[in-house]
Amino acid sequence: MPPADDVSQNFPYGITGKTPPSLTKVNYKGQKPYHKHRINLRVFQGCPQVEISEEGRLWATWFGSNIQAERAPVMKDQFSVIATSADDGKTWKEVFIFDPSELLGGGASDPILWKDPKGNIRFCGRRNIEFQVKDEFASSAWEFTMVDPEDEHTEWSKPRLLGNKLISAMKPLIFPDGTILRPMDDLKLVGKPDKVRIRFLKEDVDGKPLFVSEFPADNDAVFAEQMPIIRKDGSLFTFYRALKGQKFAESFDGGKSWKLGGYFPMQFSVNTKCILKTLPSGRVLLVANDVQVKAEKGKDVYFYNDENGKEQKLKKQVTSRTRMTAYLSDDDGKTFPHKMLLCDDGQISYPSTTLGKDGAIYIVYDQGRGVIGQQAVFLSKITEEDILAGEIVNAKSFLNNTVSRPSDHGGGRREGDRL
């Protein structure tokens, strides 16, 4: 028998919130064709992220389910997919699955891929388990590092436990000295007034925690999804998701303290995710939903301003989650005068971006997570010159290549499905 102080003797079955998860290799040579994660069974997926290796291999991740639609907060029956492309995004192959379900029925949500200061690509997944007893790590974030990102079935490091907050939704900010700032959110407190829940974790170059900072309580904040940038004067700036648009916050001490600035003057991404990234040119990239909302006669009206500044009401997709658009700022994020529409075909949301060595901007986003014939993940490849022109001018750029769409493989949501 194990000694009395062994974990197996202090918790049922030896499983706790700190029991490490694993990644499952799929679609390898010799694998049986009927594995449970295959795409032709999938009925729901969304929230993609993208990253690129030093030699140009693209990687993407998102979460999905072969059983039901999104079910917060436990995300039961959901898993995260890791896929890769060796031909600049033309074709994709699903190669790994992060599925906690075999550990007391756990679910997965909010995965990311990001490149650390040394060029290593890391996968971070969120695991949620419904324990019958209290466990402070019932929801936890775990990080794996690729051993060889040029190999589609790379080996991985052992998983590292990051914490019990939502640390896996947005990419960390990398400082010039190699330290990083991880965005965090406490989803248990979403919707509870006057609670401090939006935080950051600062780590040194070896991953050792340096400090945790926080925003003052903001009752307008939803799922915060903050993603700061470093401005030219060294201060930090971030948007965060709120009920009526995007609010912003600033830090003038490296992220140790934050000052809230209220709603940003330009309305976009109303109660949905946007992303910020400083480009090598010094311009700031914003990828967001170009939709505004106003009240008329007691009803919400969704609209955008066209190239002539004229207001155009949405008719086909009356939602804030459409018109995915790339913007550029010349003044450190004060204004975003340049923009190019990426996709307005349906419900489009949750962008992620990474940069190629040649200056290419890769952007992924999802389409119609629960819509029949959709549940798609799209990839666009553009340049700064494209955004400045308002249209594609670079011969290597493209819009809306399909990364994943279950209905292309006989899957996807069908008429009559109650998910």
Side-chain angles (χ1 to χ4, degrees), residues 5-55:
D5 60 352
D6 188 87
V7 66
S8 65
Q9 304 303 299
N10 287 278
F11 194 88
Y13 313 109
I15 297 173
T16 75
K18 293 183 178 181
T19 301
S22 61
L23 295 172
T24 301
K25 183 168 69 172
V26 295
N27 296 326
Y28 55 88
K29 186 177 181 180
Q31 183 183 26
K32 294 178 180 179
Y34 46 82
H35 65 88
K36 66 180 181 180
H37 299 110
R38 61 192 187 274
I39 192 172
N40 61 321
L41 299 178
R42 201 162 306 150
V43 294
F44 160 81
Q45 61 181 19
C47 297
Q49 299 272 352
V50 67
E51 197 48 83
I52 190 169
S53 72
E54 291 299 305
E55 295 183 18

Side-chain angles (χ1 to χ4, degrees), residues 173 228-238 248-252 264 278 282 284 331-334:
L173 173 66
I229 59 169
I230 303 173
R231 294 188 290 204
K232 293 172 183 175
D233 65 358
S235 63
L236 307 185
F237 174 87
T238 186
F248 71 95
E250 300 169 295
S251 174
F252 299 94
F264 193 68
T278 302
V284 176
D331 55 11
D332 240 7
K334 293 184 178 70

Side-chain angles (χ1 to χ4, degrees), residues 19 43 57 95 136 155 164 174 199 216 275 328 367 413:
T19 301
V43 294
R57 175 179 282 274
V95 287
E136 62 178 337
E155 297 295 323
N164 61 0
I174 299 175
R199 296 181 173 90
I275 52 173
L328 282 179
Q367 179 203 41
R413 186 171 185 172

Side-chain angles (χ1 to χ4, degrees), residues 193-209:
D194 305 322
K195 296 291 186 180
V196 171
R197 40 165 273 255
I198 303 170
R199 296 181 173 90
F200 293 91
L201 169 64
K202 183 73 179 287
E203 293 180 355
D204 69 12
V205 293
D206 298 315
K208 180 182 177 181

Side-chain angles (χ1 to χ4, degrees), residues 128-339:
N128 310 285
I129 300 177
E130 283 188 296
F131 288 110
Q132 297 305 307
V133 296
K134 185 176 181 180
D135 188 308
E136 62 178 337
F137 286 88
S139 289
S140 54
W142 296 81
E143 191 167 72
F144 303 74
T145 302
M146 291 184 187
V147 174
D148 181 6
E150 311 307 334
D151 178 0
E152 68 176 29
H153 281 120
T154 176
E155 297 295 323
W156 295 82
S157 70
K158 292 182 179 180
R160 174 192 173 205
L161 176 60
L162 296 178
N164 61 0
K165 300 294 186 284
L166 179 59
I167 313 177
S168 60
M170 306 296 281
K171 296 188 181 189
L173 173 66
I174 299 175
F175 288 83
D177 62 0
T179 58
I180 67 169
L181 191 69
R182 295 181 185 267
M184 299 194 301
D185 198 357
D186 193 337
L187 299 189
K188 298 189 298 294
L189 299 178
V190 173
K192 296 184 178 180
D194 305 322
K195 296 291 186 180
V196 171
R197 40 165 273 255
I198 303 170
R199 296 181 173 90
F200 293 91
L201 169 64
K202 183 73 179 287
E203 293 180 355
D204 69 12
V205 293
D206 298 315
K208 180 182 177 181
L210 297 175
F211 64 77
V212 172
S213 61
E214 61 190 32
F215 282 6
D218 184 345
N219 294 338
D220 272 359
V222 198
F223 304 106
E225 296 163 342
Q226 69 275 27
M227 189 175 179
I229 59 169
I230 303 173
R231 294 188 290 204
K232 293 172 183 175
D233 65 358
S235 63
L236 307 185
F237 174 87
T238 186
F239 292 124
Y240 63 100
R241 177 176 164 184
L243 293 172
K244 298 179 181 179
Q246 293 289 320
K247 287 189 167 183
F248 71 95
E250 300 169 295
S251 174
F252 299 94
D253 55 9
K256 293 180 180 178
S257 63
W258 292 86
K259 180 181 179 181
L260 304 186
Y263 279 102
F264 193 68
M266 183 177 82
Q267 192 185 46
F268 55 89
S269 288
V270 178
N271 195 5
T272 188
K273 173 186 172 183
C274 72
I275 52 173
L276 280 173
K277 190 172 186 65
T278 302
L279 301 177
S281 67
R283 293 190 179 99
V284 176
L285 171 72
L286 165 68
V287 185
N289 296 95
D290 181 20
V291 178
Q292 300 177 59
V293 184
K294 64 180 180 180
E296 283 187 359
K297 298 179 180 178
K299 294 183 178 181
D300 286 338
V301 174
Y302 296 82
F303 67 98
Y304 67 95
N305 293 324
D306 64 20
E307 60 273 14
N308 299 314
K310 186 176 179 180
E311 184 178 303
Q312 301 288 343
K313 292 182 180 180
L314 298 187
K315 297 178 181 179
K316 186 177 180 181
Q317 293 292 331
V318 185
T319 171
S320 62
R321 295 191 175 194
T322 190
R323 293 186 55 79
M324 189 61 67
T325 300
Y327 301 81
L328 282 179
S329 172
D330 302 310
D331 55 11
D332 240 7
K334 293 184 178 70
T335 62
F336 292 88
H338 315 289
K339 69 178 182 178

